[in-house]
Amino acid sequence: MTARGRVSALLPDFPWDTIASVKAKAASHPDGLVDLSVGTPVDPVDPLIREALSSVAEVPGYPTTHGTPELREAVVSALKRRFGITGVDPAAVLPAIGTKELIAGLPRLLGLGAQDLVVIPEVAYPTYEVGALLAGTRYLRADSTVALGPERPALIFLNSPSNPTGKVLGIDHLRKVVRFARERGAVVASDECYLGLAWEGRAVSILDPEVCDGDHTGLLAIHSLSKTSNLASYRAGFVTGDPELVAELLEVRKHSGMMLPYPIQAAMTAALGDDAHEVQQKDRYRARRVVLRDALQRAGFRIDDSEAGLYLWSTRDEPCRTTLDWLAERGILAAPGEFYGPRGNQHVRIALTATDERIATAADRLTS
């Protein structure tokens, strides 16, 4: 290891390890911790999904990397029904072992190396940067094509709705990125894990006909069932888009043994076929958002963007670690905005993923 070097040395400190002391401070509150830092689901998995999982638990054979035909058809149907995405070929659907592993591995799966440039948002989910670092590529934070100048990136990550900011990219912006990428030979990977959680206005996919005119060439859309189906523990995600790109990802993943367990595939199929549980979960988050947003604003916070997703991108116009301490004194733990890039250094990300009781407790503490 010493002679070859450690891969971990290429990577930044794991961000959550850096707030351990603040978490301990918040946890010391007499009435307990309200953890609004990690966006992990707390509500139960719908019985329909659990039944689908257990119904095939006895199957002993290997699953396919490509996923069952039923799963891929369910993805195509759900994307059209829920988001108006048309023209998706079931063969161009590929399940992933959670979207984080897919994002972290995507530059390498696409064969990128030191000569290539990966573009990530200026305020971004940290795994985009990690993926570039693991592949040994260059990376650049940029929110506009103008900021790229003469660069010819190999891969452009988009995230709309955004984690952490909740910002939604409009159709005109997305069309401009697609046009730019095609002119310069770049792949666009759009992380759309929060697409089903738009609160204000409409969030659209990179594969929406209004964005790409029905042409998926060079485009990948990444989706997760962790959010509105509460399947974070199942590690249930998928990627779809350009059939040629998905076929390449499939071929590499087959050799790597990156197979989603068969019971998880069955659970995903059930989840994608049922909209009722998804609507119910979205309604839960909507109600929690109202309670928490109002309390934060009464406590003197400004909430920026946050028109979609599971977070309130909040600021007191001070260093984010100062805000983190202020919240910890009240037994509330949030995520510092600097986790997501230098431009986040005066914001905190406050998650809606807590029970109704914990959200109400946080609101009381903020306003008392």
Side-chain angles (χ1 to χ4, degrees):
M1 291 293 290
T2 302
R4 293 179 176 156
R6 296 178 182 271
V7 174
S8 61
L10 301 172
L11 305 176
D13 292 337
F14 189 64
W16 300 105
D17 293 343
T18 70
I19 61 170
S21 62
V22 179
K23 183 175 183 178
K25 180 178 180 179
S28 69
H29 191 280
D31 295 322
L33 171 68
V34 179
D35 191 344
L36 305 179
S37 62
V38 182
T40 188
V42 298
D43 300 302
V45 175
D46 191 271
L48 178 81
I49 300 170
R50 287 184 276 134
E51 289 164 10
L53 180 84
S54 61
S55 71
V56 295
E58 65 181 16
V59 175
Y62 288 109
T64 63
T65 303
H66 201 180
T68 66
E70 294 80 10
L71 170 57
R72 289 183 274 117
E73 290 285 357
V75 166
V76 172
S77 179
L79 291 177
K80 182 177 181 180
R81 192 175 65 248
R82 295 176 182 177
F83 307 120
I85 300 171
T86 57
V88 175
D89 183 348
V93 174
L94 181 60
I97 312 163
T99 53
K100 184 171 184 174
E101 68 87 358
L102 178 70
I103 290 167
L106 189 59
R108 190 70 191 93
L109 289 168
L110 292 173
L112 306 189
Q115 75 281 7
D116 294 308
L117 175 67
V118 174
V119 178
I120 66 176
E122 290 192 35
V123 179
Y125 182 47
T127 309
Y128 310 135
E129 177 185 348
V130 167
L133 293 171
L134 288 173
T137 72
R138 297 182 296 133
Y139 73 91
L140 176 66
R141 294 180 181 270
D143 286 341
S144 71
T145 55
V146 173
L148 298 177
E151 291 275 13
R152 301 185 69 85
L155 174 62
I156 300 171
F157 274 114
L158 296 179
N159 181 206
S160 177
S162 165
N163 172 16
T165 70
K167 183 179 178 63
V168 174
L169 299 178
I171 290 173
D172 289 345
H173 181 98
L174 293 172
R175 286 185 65 88
K176 185 180 295 185
V177 173
V178 170
R179 183 170 62 249
F180 173 90
R182 288 175 173 167
E183 289 172 353
R184 304 203 184 185
V187 172
V188 179
S190 180
D191 178 354
E192 300 174 356
C193 290
Y194 298 89
L195 195 64
L197 290 166
W199 312 117
E200 303 167 15
R202 177 183 171 218
V204 297
S205 169
I206 198 76
L207 303 181
D208 191 292
E210 293 185 61
V211 172
C212 66
D213 298 321
D215 180 5
H216 297 171
T217 304
L219 308 178
L220 294 172
I222 300 167
H223 284 250
S224 169
L225 276 68
S226 295
K227 314 309 175 188
T228 51
S229 290
N230 294 326
L231 297 188
S233 69
Y234 285 44
R235 310 313 301 131
F238 63 87
V239 61
T240 188
D242 184 332
E244 186 175 337
L245 285 174
V246 174
E248 174 65 11
L249 296 177
L250 171 60
E251 196 63 26
V252 178
R253 290 171 72 87
K254 283 195 299 186
H255 283 287
S256 304
M258 301 178 84
M259 300 174 286
L260 193 66
Y262 183 65
I264 304 297
Q265 295 189 33
M268 286 179 67
T269 304
L272 289 161
D274 176 73
D275 294 339
H277 79 279
E278 191 203 32
V279 171
Q280 181 184 47
Q281 187 59 46
K282 184 174 180 179
D283 287 344
R284 289 186 185 119
Y285 285 135
R286 180 183 287 108
R288 291 166 185 166
R289 179 177 181 269
V290 169
V291 171
L292 201 52
R293 179 196 61 196
D294 291 353
L296 285 164
Q297 290 174 334
R298 290 201 305 273
F301 283 79
R302 187 181 74 249
I303 298 172
D304 293 331
D305 298 319
S306 304
E307 60 255 40
L310 287 178
Y311 312 103
L312 294 170
W313 188 236
S314 309
T315 182
R316 285 159 38 103
D317 291 315
E318 63 188 8
C320 60
R321 296 280 175 163
T322 302
T323 306
L324 212 63
D325 283 335
W326 187 91
L327 290 167
E329 289 170 0
R330 289 152 181 81
I332 300 169
L333 184 66
E338 66 188 23
F339 277 9
Y340 308 97
R343 279 191 52 196
N345 63 2
Q346 289 200 330
H347 284 78
V348 293
R349 192 193 76 170
I350 299 177
L352 308 177
T353 51
T355 64
D356 293 345
E357 183 275 329
R358 289 285 87 185
I359 293 288
T361 296
D364 287 343
R365 293 179 187 178
L366 285 165
T367 55
S368 62

